[in-house]
Amino acid sequence: MTGPSHTHAPAAAATSAADLADRLRARGLRVTTQREQVLAAVRSLGHATPEQISESVPDVDLTTIYRTLELLEEIGLVRHAHLGHGAPSYRPAEDEHIHVVCHACGAVVDADPKLVDPLADSLSAGSGFVLDRSHFTVFGRCRDCAAEQNRPTER
């Protein structure tokens, strides 16, 4: 997989193929090989852009991958987050975490969503705002890049 590196915690039990079928049929939609392949690719990659998913399922065109990801998110099987300026990154919906992204090297670390509980509680108490943790991404510098930035330069 190309792109930013990820430190990824294991996902909770993956949604079964039967669950995919049930959710699609409940909406009057068919189970297709392409839908199964795209969901399987998201599960296996953990975090992936549509382009990275396309590399895993080369028999499915990129437009179909985008449409399928949209549908899979609509029926609650995948989630997306914006980890930078490019395409969104998709992951299984049951994979609960927030993202911490280094501006310098592009590393992405998955962090416990409870870290933002004080912020979520404050927003809720102050204005009734409900934070969507699935899209929560924090940008900054990782330890190595911060150390590099603070290292004195030689003259």
Side-chain angles (χ1 to χ4, degrees), residues 53-130:
I53 293 166
S54 178
E55 292 171 14
S56 283
V57 286
D59 295 339
V60 181
D61 67 86
L62 193 55
T63 302
T64 300
I65 288 172
Y66 270 97
R67 286 185 187 139
T68 301
L69 288 168
E70 217 173 270
L71 173 64
L72 293 174
E73 187 162 30
E74 213 175 277
I75 64 175
L77 294 177
V78 302
R79 293 181 180 180
H80 80 276
H82 297 275
L83 305 180
H85 292 295
S89 178
Y90 289 84
R91 68 181 190 272
E94 65 272 4
D95 188 3
E96 289 283 335
H97 60 267
I98 61 171
H99 300 96
V100 180
V101 180
C102 179
H103 279 302
C105 71
V108 179
V109 176
D110 296 344
D112 187 335
K114 291 179 181 160
L115 290 172
V116 298
D117 282 351
L119 173 62
D121 293 344
S122 178
L123 289 169
S124 179
S127 64
F129 186 84
V130 178

Side-chain angles (χ1 to χ4, degrees), residues 23-44:
R23 291 183 192 206
L24 288 171
R25 289 186 184 121
R27 291 177 163 238
L29 300 169
R30 295 180 310 118
V31 177
T32 65
T33 302
Q34 291 89 351
R35 289 172 178 162
E36 290 174 326
Q37 289 174 327
V38 170
L39 182 57
V42 171
R43 287 183 190 148
S44 103

